[in-house]
Amino acid sequence: QTPWLWNTRHCWYNYPYQPLTTDLHYYYMLELSFYWSLMFSQFTDIKRKDFGIMFVHHLVSILLITFSYVNNMARVGTLVLCLHDSADGFLEAAKMANYAKFQKMCDLLFVMFAMVFVITRLAMFPLWVLNTTLFESWEIVGPYPSWWVFNLLLLLVQALNCFWAYLIVKIACKAVSRGKVSKDDRSDIESSSDEEDSEPPGKNAHTATTTNGTSGTNGYLLTGSCSLDD
């Protein structure tokens, strides 16, 4: 229902004197609280190889949300949030399918997640959002101090998107070639489905696996056939 969704140049018309509506305010507060929760919960979850990169992502997200809100860049900010939220539903659904032991559903949802992730973050985000923040804003508003900070943070987000896209596509290709989603390549402790299949009869597959003092809790299936995480 907003004009800047269909024409991104509306993000900059009459900037910065643009009214902040109630729905955009609560949308921002919800997203900001979500990323703050991820910032804290990361230290209690299972530690992965990309812990540092994930920490940087959460920090940059919080800075971007806060910075764009304070500078009244809510219009383009909502475009960034919508694009980056669009793929998460498929990932969470794939996790639930994995925990419910619906392997085919897990594989299908993960491949759908990979497709949406690549389309939104490697195609739409640079061609649609970065185009308006880098070029259309410069043309309509002109250069201003916060322009440099805002775009630097967005370019850093895009670099992180490229890194995760590589890992996601790698897992998705394995799912297609092997017929099942393999373990998360970011994890040092998760076991693949092949290890689960080779367990001797009678062993309880739901028993938490302990590796280096870390138990399989916090919502993760260490011996699951479809080990996924954000």
Side-chain angles (χ1 to χ4, degrees):
Q1 298 177 357
T2 58
W4 61 87
L5 177 66
W6 311 103
N7 184 358
T8 53
R9 298 179 68 88
H10 282 274
C11 292
W12 311 107
Y13 291 151
N14 200 37
Y15 176 82
Y17 306 104
Q18 299 169 342
L20 179 66
T21 59
T22 303
D23 54 347
L24 292 185
H25 166 76
Y26 284 112
Y27 182 37
Y28 255 75
M29 294 302 103
L30 181 64
E31 291 282 353
L32 183 60
S33 61
F34 171 69
Y35 279 104
W36 268 116
S37 70
L38 292 180
M39 174 72 78
F40 291 114
S41 64
Q42 184 181 8
F43 294 94
T44 60
D45 291 340
I46 294 175
K47 192 171 184 179
R48 301 177 182 276
K49 290 185 290 186
D50 67 342
F51 176 88
I53 297 178
M54 187 67 74
F55 179 81
V56 171
H57 173 265
H58 297 336
L59 181 61
V60 170
S61 299
I62 292 172
L63 290 176
L64 269 173
I65 294 173
T66 305
F67 185 80
S68 62
Y69 184 88
V70 171
N71 285 272
N72 204 27
M73 297 178 177
R75 292 187 176 184
V76 70
T78 54
L79 300 182
V80 177
L81 292 172
C82 287
L83 275 183
H84 284 76
D85 288 343
S86 58
D88 292 345
F90 292 100
L91 179 61
E92 303 303 329
K95 289 182 186 180
M96 291 189 290
N98 169 50
Y99 301 150
K101 301 299 182 181
F102 297 148
Q103 181 62 46
K104 292 184 179 180
M105 181 64 69
C106 174
D107 296 340
L108 176 62
L109 289 170
F110 188 83
V111 172
M112 294 174 63
F113 159 73
M115 294 175 59
V116 174
F117 187 97
V118 170
I119 292 174
T120 56
R121 302 198 186 194
L122 298 189
M124 296 180 66
F125 182 64
L127 297 178
W128 187 37
V129 174
L130 291 182
N131 176 68
T132 190
T133 60
L134 287 170
F135 304 110
E136 292 180 349
S137 65
W138 186 284
E139 174 187 349
I140 298 173
V141 181
Y144 48 95
S146 59
W147 182 93
W148 302 95
V149 179
F150 187 58
N151 282 285
L152 179 62
L153 292 174
L154 288 177
L155 290 174
L156 181 56
V157 169
Q158 180 61 12
L160 295 174
N161 288 339
C162 293
F163 169 76
W164 279 309
Y166 165 75
L167 297 181
I168 291 170
V169 171
K170 185 177 179 181
I171 297 175
C173 290
K174 288 181 180 180
V176 174
S177 61
R178 299 173 56 184
K180 55 186 175 182
V181 174
S182 61
K183 70 176 182 178
D184 192 335
D185 290 331
R186 301 171 301 148
S187 176
D188 286 322
I189 64 176
E190 285 181 312
S191 301
S192 66
S193 57
D194 293 337
E195 294 171 349
E196 183 187 42
D197 295 339
S198 62
E199 290 179 347
K203 183 177 180 180
N204 187 356
H206 296 286
T207 301
T209 303
T210 302
T211 305
N212 296 329
T214 305
S215 62
T217 57
N218 296 328
Y220 297 93
L221 293 183
L222 301 187
T223 58
S225 57
C226 178
S227 301
L228 307 172
D229 189 23
D230 289 325

